[in-house]
Amino acid sequence: MYSIGETARLSGLSVSALRFYDGAGVFGPARVDPRTGYRWYAAEQLADARTIARLRRVGMPLADICRVLGGDPVEARAALDAHLRRLEDGLADARRELSTVRNLLETKERPMTTTRLTLPAAELAAALDAVRFAVCPNGSLPQVAGVLFEIGGGALRLVATDRYRLAVSEAAPGRVEGPEAAALAPTVFVDALSDLLSGAESGGTAELTVTDEALVATAAGRSVRGDRVPADFPDYRPMLRLAPTHRVEIAADALLAGLDAAPFRTVHRDQDGADVPVSVLTVSPDGALTIGDGADAADGLRVLVDRSFLSEAAAAGASGQLVLELGGPVAPLAIRFPAREGTFSLLMPTAP
């Protein structure tokens, strides 16, 4: 048997870490002296202790460490593969952020840049409609008080969030001139652009110009201009890495009708002190979706969502078939539009 100090030296874990893992139920001693409280570890436990040390060095969460140590090789490999994907995604995010910083540094040494794209006016209008509902309504947080316009990879991506939901849409521009660009457009510009596009002729085009200071859109012989919001939009990409356990296909009209007809309950939201109407989505073991207040819910996965948020998300972007992706009672609910690839919404569940 090894003392906790010896186990720490032999495994690479600190004494405090061993105490923490014991308290968390992840890795405990083989024996605890009932008189002194000293922890004693068996020789065969050293392999697990060294495994924990290696996994913690690469930042694996405790829940996944438990899966690795659980004895099921399939579960262990799945946890390792999932964490490796997270690390690779994180590295990609880090590269993107460092690239942005490098561009900001280079801005001081180069003249103003301009990016211009041309695309069907109807395509841009549909992309705006798919995200406008998720903009923070009161403008109290500058970094989410508008819509993020991202131009790159041959696509225009629009993103909006109010911290409780996130909406993303994509449109394929016909022509792009200039470097990749990202700009946070104020709500007043977004609404003016929507009005401008509504007056464009069917089959007409729109031109969007992004400079270091402003955004300018032209369609149907008219233009609107807006200064860029001087704030960094939150890094939304980690939110897109979902691991849904249930996928449900449902027509948008059927979901909206179900929300209107089903009972609901009111829940107090601690984050902003608001009382919100909540619907309970239940997915039965056979994959059937029911909507209600949870009072008579059958067995299955249950997710509580703000019913007005869900209604707005279902109505945005396009009619027709929807795909709901659920990953658990506290995981984001995804609403996808198969008819518009790259257009979807994420809703944070409401705590009961």
Side-chain angles (χ1 to χ4, degrees):
M1 302 290 284
Y2 296 99
S3 69
I4 191 170
E6 292 170 327
T7 304
R9 288 192 296 274
L10 292 170
S11 67
L13 294 168
S14 66
V15 170
S16 60
L18 286 168
R19 291 194 181 110
F20 170 75
Y21 294 136
D22 182 15
V26 176
F27 179 73
R31 184 172 70 86
V32 177
D33 191 306
R35 184 174 60 85
T36 64
Y38 288 169
R39 296 171 170 87
W40 295 94
Y41 294 82
E44 57 268 23
Q45 289 185 283
L46 290 178
D48 280 350
R50 289 169 180 149
T51 296
I52 294 172
R54 291 187 174 94
L55 295 177
R56 289 304 288 163
R57 281 196 291 270
V58 296
M60 177 173 278
L62 290 182
D64 286 340
I65 290 178
C66 290
R67 292 174 64 194
V68 173
L69 300 179
D72 184 338
V74 175
E75 280 287 308
R77 292 190 184 95
L80 294 174
D81 291 343
H83 189 60
L84 181 58
R85 286 194 297 272
R86 284 195 294 268
L87 293 175
E88 291 170 342
D89 290 339
L91 179 58
D93 289 345
R95 286 190 175 123
R96 188 181 300 106
E97 293 297 333
L98 292 176
S99 177
T100 299
V101 172
R102 187 177 292 110
N103 291 337
L104 291 173
L105 294 175
E106 292 175 354
T107 299
K108 301 176 181 179
E109 304 172 357
R110 59 177 168 79
M112 181 181 294
T113 61
T114 299
T115 300
R116 183 176 293 105
L117 68 154
T118 304
L119 70 167
E123 185 77 7
L124 180 55
L128 280 175
D129 289 343
V131 301
R132 174 61 181 88
F133 72 95
V135 175
C136 188
N138 55 21
S140 59
L141 298 173
Q143 61 269 35
V144 293
V147 172
L148 177 66
F149 284 66
E150 288 186 330
I151 305 167
L156 168 66
R157 172 180 278 187
L158 307 184
V159 190
T161 182
D162 61 0
R163 299 176 300 155
Y164 303 109
R165 49 189 171 171
L166 175 77
V168 180
S169 65
E170 290 186 355
R175 184 175 73 251
V176 178
E177 302 172 21
E180 295 186 354
L184 181 54
T187 306
V188 63
F189 170 81
V190 173
D191 292 341
L193 177 55
S194 293
D195 291 340
L196 176 68
L197 296 172
S198 66
E201 295 180 3
S202 176
T205 61
E207 182 179 272
L208 179 67
T209 302
V210 180
T211 70
D212 293 340
E213 297 178 348
L215 300 95
V216 179
T218 302
R222 297 186 297 124
S223 298
V224 294
R225 181 189 184 279
D227 292 333
R228 296 171 57 148
V229 178
D232 288 334
F233 194 81
D235 183 10
Y236 66 90
R237 289 178 179 83
M239 290 291 296
L240 307 186
R241 297 166 197 150
L242 304 177
T245 57
H246 297 72
R247 288 171 56 90
V248 179
E249 294 189 15
I250 185 172
D253 291 344
L255 178 59
L256 292 171
L259 284 170
D260 288 340
F264 60 92
R265 58 168 122 161
T266 301
V267 172
H268 184 75
R269 190 164 58 201
D270 292 335
Q271 294 94 322
D272 59 0
D275 292 327
V276 296
V278 168
S279 292
V280 179
L281 305 185
T282 303
V283 182
S284 66
D286 62 359
L289 175 71
T290 58
I291 304 171
D293 59 3
D296 300 319
D299 292 338
L301 172 64
R302 298 172 65 192
V303 180
L304 283 69
V305 295
D306 185 316
R307 68 194 309 270
S308 61
F309 284 0
L310 180 55
S311 178
E312 290 177 336
S319 59
Q321 225 30 38
L322 303 177
V323 175
L324 306 186
E325 294 182 348
L326 306 92
V330 297
L333 165 68
I335 302 97
R336 300 191 183 275
F337 299 88
R340 285 186 61 87
E341 187 176 357
T343 296
F344 57 92
S345 299
L346 302 181
L347 305 183
M348 294 304 299
T350 302

